[in-house]
Amino acid sequence: QVHLVESGGGSVQAGGSLRLSCDASGYTFSSNCIGWFRQAPGKEREAVAVMYTGMLIYADSVKGRFTISRDNAKNTVSLQMNTLKPEDSATYYCGAEGTIPCWRDYNYKYWGQGTQVTVSS
């Protein structure tokens, strides 16, 4: 059985940093789409950073501030978030085994339960 578990969320002030991790069990991250998505209250889930066959793609709203990476030895995918803004507040989800277009959440087979990020001004 596949489990993705996100961790690293929390509350920070604007300008701060957080590092989210997505640990997988029962599954090895492949070269298919891996993505970090977020959903704020009352809004649709949106992609913030995805990776596919080595390509890294970021939403314009986080470009230059967020970095997605993977550690194959640990079977973990991370999202380093710097210079956080209040509008980054959301529940962040890790998705895996997606098909292109990676930007669409309905193309993903596995999801974590999410981790909350709150950025105060």
Side-chain angles (χ1 to χ4, degrees):
Q1 193 171 4
V2 175
H3 290 285
L4 301 181
V5 179
E6 301 96 336
S7 61
S11 297
V12 296
Q13 290 191 329
S17 298
L18 285 173
R19 185 177 181 86
L20 306 183
S21 294
C22 177
D23 298 320
S25 60
Y27 167 78
T28 300
F29 287 110
S30 70
S31 59
N32 289 330
C33 301
I34 301 170
W36 282 98
F37 291 72
R38 68 186 180 189
Q39 187 169 23
K43 294 187 177 181
E44 293 187 353
R45 186 161 56 183
E46 62 174 356
V48 295
V50 302
M51 60 170 52
Y52 176 70
T53 61
M55 293 187 297
L56 308 179
I57 307 171
Y58 298 93
D60 288 342
S61 59
V62 306
K63 204 171 293 184
R65 300 188 297 120
F66 290 12
T67 303
I68 185 173
S69 62
R70 62 188 290 174
D71 185 329
N72 292 332
K74 295 181 179 179
N75 201 30
T76 296
V77 174
S78 298
L79 184 70
Q80 178 66 42
M81 306 187 296
N82 298 328
T83 320
L84 283 161
K85 303 176 181 180
E87 51 264 43
D88 294 321
S89 298
T91 300
Y92 283 71
Y93 299 91
C94 169
E97 204 58 31
T99 56
I100 53 174
C102 299
W103 222 244
R104 302 301 181 191
D105 60 353
Y106 52 74
N107 287 341
Y108 285 75
K109 187 174 183 179
Y110 304 125
W111 289 97
Q113 82 292 344
T115 186
Q116 179 67 39
V117 171
T118 303
V119 185
S120 58
S121 57

